[in-house]
Amino acid sequence: MSNRYIADYRIGMAKHADLPVATAVAASSAFPQFLSPLRLDLTQFAWENDKLDASVGPPVPAGRAVLTDGGVYDNHGIEPALKRCRWLLVSDAGAPWRASGSGYWNWFSQLKRVLDTTDNQVRSLRRRDLIARFQAAKDADDQGLPNDATRPDYAATRGVYWSIASKPDAAEPSFVQSAAIAPADIGTSLHFLGSEETIDLVNWGYCASDQALRSWYRPAVPAGKGVPLKAGDVKPGRCAVVSKALMSGFKV
């Protein structure tokens, strides 16, 4: 979905599809089973035989589409960007993968661990491929290869990658942890995280991106002027405090 068209590799392209932004947001947020897939009638649009890809299957007629969060297919959202962009700045806030000493004595916990392991492996493969492309592009630049069609596709996209699991550079101690929990261990919550946790996430995101950009981006960028937040800058309201107290018990 875009503001100019909607498209599918097996259906085609519908230009100037009149869809509200809310529908696109709902499709992107429709994660099964809690938020439920979005059902969309595609017959209301005029489709053209464009953007078709025979490698994924024969063309199919437009009908009712059952759409879910794009993260099910590509949680990093990397593939479209690799095809279109010469420079990518990638900020990965995904939870770091860790070994577990839990027993997993019931089927449900075992199944969840298996699914989590499968998902982590897919993410790891995409990250490795992405970083390998960035390194290949850097090597090509170092060799003076021209930035045109003669450059191999896998070396065409330059980029910088950092993640929430990155470690602060000891030589640049601009980030000072204030909360009891490290930024990489803060859960993806649907409520206020806490004043100190919010400050740590914002400041560490600033430091991680600043250090990564100065190390890899060309031309070189100047160093940041300091973290954006200091102790006491985040002052939650009453509703935020209550929501944290109520929802923290659900671990969401």
Side-chain angles (χ1 to χ4, degrees):
M1 296 180 182
S2 78
N3 62 340
R4 294 183 293 112
Y5 62 85
I6 60 175
D8 181 84
Y9 289 125
R10 299 185 66 184
I11 301 175
M13 174 186 289
K15 298 179 179 178
H16 309 295
D18 186 15
L19 278 178
V21 174
T23 300
V25 173
S28 181
S29 305
F31 189 85
Q33 57 191 353
F34 302 104
L35 300 180
S36 299
L38 173 76
R39 290 164 176 79
L40 180 63
D41 181 13
L42 299 180
T43 61
Q44 60 183 306
F45 309 119
W47 293 87
E48 302 176 5
N49 291 331
D50 195 4
K51 300 290 185 183
L52 294 175
D53 185 352
S55 67
V56 298
V60 296
R64 187 187 70 160
V66 182
L67 306 177
T68 191
D69 182 353
V72 174
Y73 174 75
D74 178 8
N75 196 55
H76 284 72
I78 291 172
E79 186 174 337
L82 282 175
K83 296 176 180 177
R84 301 180 182 182
C85 303
R86 287 295 185 183
W87 263 103
L88 293 179
L89 307 180
V90 181
S91 176
D92 183 3
W97 181 251
R98 292 185 175 89
S100 174
S102 300
Y104 299 108
W105 304 114
N106 62 75
W107 291 346
F108 296 105
S109 61
Q110 292 171 20
L111 177 60
K112 182 180 184 302
R113 183 64 175 177
V114 169
L115 294 176
D116 288 345
T117 304
T118 303
D119 176 68
N120 176 72
Q121 179 65 3
V122 173
R123 296 186 189 203
S124 296
L125 290 173
R126 286 191 177 272
R127 281 195 297 269
R128 292 172 195 164
D129 175 71
L130 180 71
I131 295 173
R133 288 172 182 265
F134 291 170
Q135 186 62 56
K138 182 179 183 303
D139 293 342
D141 287 340
D142 292 342
Q143 296 172 16
L145 294 183
N147 185 21
D148 56 23
T150 61
R151 179 186 287 249
D153 288 341
Y154 65 84
T157 304
R158 305 168 181 85
V160 182
Y161 172 91
W162 63 90
S163 80
I164 199 171
S166 301
K167 301 298 183 183
D169 189 340
E172 302 178 43
S174 54
F175 170 74
V176 178
Q177 182 177 325
S178 57
I181 185 171
D185 297 326
I186 297 175
T188 304
S189 304
L190 303 178
H191 57 77
F192 177 65
L193 299 173
S195 298
E196 293 180 341
E197 290 80 0
T198 300
I199 291 173
D200 281 359
L201 282 174
V202 172
N203 287 344
W204 171 231
Y206 182 90
C207 293
S209 58
D210 176 66
Q211 293 176 16
L213 287 170
R214 286 190 284 115
S215 298
W216 295 97
Y217 189 80
R218 296 293 179 271
V221 297
K225 297 181 179 180
V227 293
L229 297 180
K230 60 181 183 297
D233 279 353
V234 177
K235 297 179 175 60
R238 182 179 301 175
C239 290
V241 174
V242 172
S243 70
K244 178 175 173 58
L246 291 177
M247 300 302 294
S248 293
F250 294 98
K251 304 295 182 183
V252 295

